[in-house]
Structure formats: structure tokens, C-alpha cells
Amino acid sequence: MPATLTIARLTLHEARSRRILLAALIFGLAFLALFATGMYFIDRNLRLENLVLSKRRFVLSSVVMAGLYAVNFLTIITAVLVPADTLSGEISSGIIQTVVSKPLRRSEVVLGKWIGFWIILLGYLGLMAGGVLLAAKLIGNYSPPNIYTGLSLMCLEGTLL
């Protein structure tokens, strides 16, 4: 197990230097800024129209669910693109022989890589979904019901991909 965790740590270190992860973070933060701006203007218009509370909550719920669908899509794209060609590319270029200097089982290397990318995925999902939910709470004073169930299903989806 220590070898697996070492490979996971090296995977995290390698992912920090890859441009695809940086691009995913930049576009994710741009999405959160756009979502928060849209949420602000929608909430402001709803307050000016003096809608019934149930209608206001319905509109805010729809906007938050649309934001979470976008987060789900971005998480799926991140889950597929960040680890793309990592292990097979390292094997074909010969980098894996340098990284793995002592005899390790293939399962330890694969599991370590998987754990490392899973940690990245959880962090990205937490950042993106947390940003959407924080914007909804601070701007519209709305938090969706049963959010933990939905977030765990989003995590499971990214884990399987």
C-alpha cells in the first residue's frame, strides 16, 4: 500500500505541471464568475418584481440546477481529459521506467494513478459545486434540498469515468 500512495502522490505532483488541469481550473473559475453574475441579476429582477416566495424559489431552484448540470458536465470532461494518455503515454515514452525505479506490481501503479486522479476529481467537483452552492446561498439565500445525495452521485459518475 505505501507504493500505491507514493504513485498517487507522484501523480498529483505531475498533474500540477500539466496544462490541461490549469485550463480546467481557469475555465471553471470563469464559469463560477459568470454563474454568480447571472445569479445576482436574476435575484435582483425577482426582488424588483415582488414575486410570491414560492415562484421566486422555483426560479432560483431552476437556475441552481442548471448551474449544477454545467458543473456535472465540467466534472465529466475533467475526469476524461486529465488522465487521458497518462499511463499508456508513460509506458510508450519510457518515462515509467524512471518513475518506477524499484519492482512494483502493475496493480500498484495503476491503483496509485487512479487514486491520484480521483483526488483531483474530488477537489475539482468540490470547488465547482461548492462555488455554485455558495453563490446561490449568498446571493439568492437558496440552498437546494438533498444536495449531498446529488453531489455523491456526481462523484460516483466521475469515479466511474
Side-chain angles (χ1 to χ4, degrees), residues 5-154:
L5 296 178
T6 302
I7 296 293
R9 185 178 52 82
L10 289 173
T11 302
L12 291 172
H13 181 69
E14 174 202 357
R16 279 187 286 181
S17 65
R18 294 187 65 193
R19 291 184 184 177
I20 188 77
L21 185 60
L22 180 64
L25 286 173
I26 289 171
F27 286 124
L29 292 175
F31 165 74
L32 289 177
L34 185 64
F35 177 80
T37 303
M39 187 76 173
Y40 170 77
F41 286 114
I42 289 171
D43 185 59
R44 187 180 76 172
N45 286 344
L46 291 175
R47 290 181 192 274
L48 290 176
E49 292 178 9
N50 290 328
L51 288 178
V52 180
L53 183 63
S54 62
K55 288 184 180 180
R56 183 175 174 272
R57 291 184 63 78
F58 175 75
V59 171
L60 291 177
S61 171
S62 299
V63 171
V64 170
M65 289 303 117
L68 288 175
Y69 277 122
V71 166
N72 187 37
F73 175 73
L74 290 172
T75 303
I76 289 169
I77 293 299
T78 302
V80 171
L81 289 181
V82 170
D85 194 41
T86 300
L87 193 57
S88 62
E90 288 176 355
I91 291 171
S92 66
S93 68
I95 294 175
I96 197 74
Q97 283 81 15
T98 306
V99 173
V100 183
S101 60
K102 65 178 187 173
L104 291 176
R105 286 183 260 144
R106 289 182 185 182
S107 61
E108 292 174 332
V109 174
V110 172
L111 186 61
K113 291 253 181 218
W114 186 82
I115 289 171
F117 287 125
W118 187 69
I119 290 170
I120 292 169
L121 182 73
L122 286 182
Y124 189 75
L125 177 62
L127 175 75
M128 297 300 294
V132 167
L133 295 173
L134 184 67
K137 185 66 175 169
L138 294 178
I139 296 169
N141 197 20
Y142 175 77
S143 52
N146 301 324
I147 192 63
Y148 298 114
T149 305
L151 289 178
S152 59
L153 287 173
M154 289 169 70

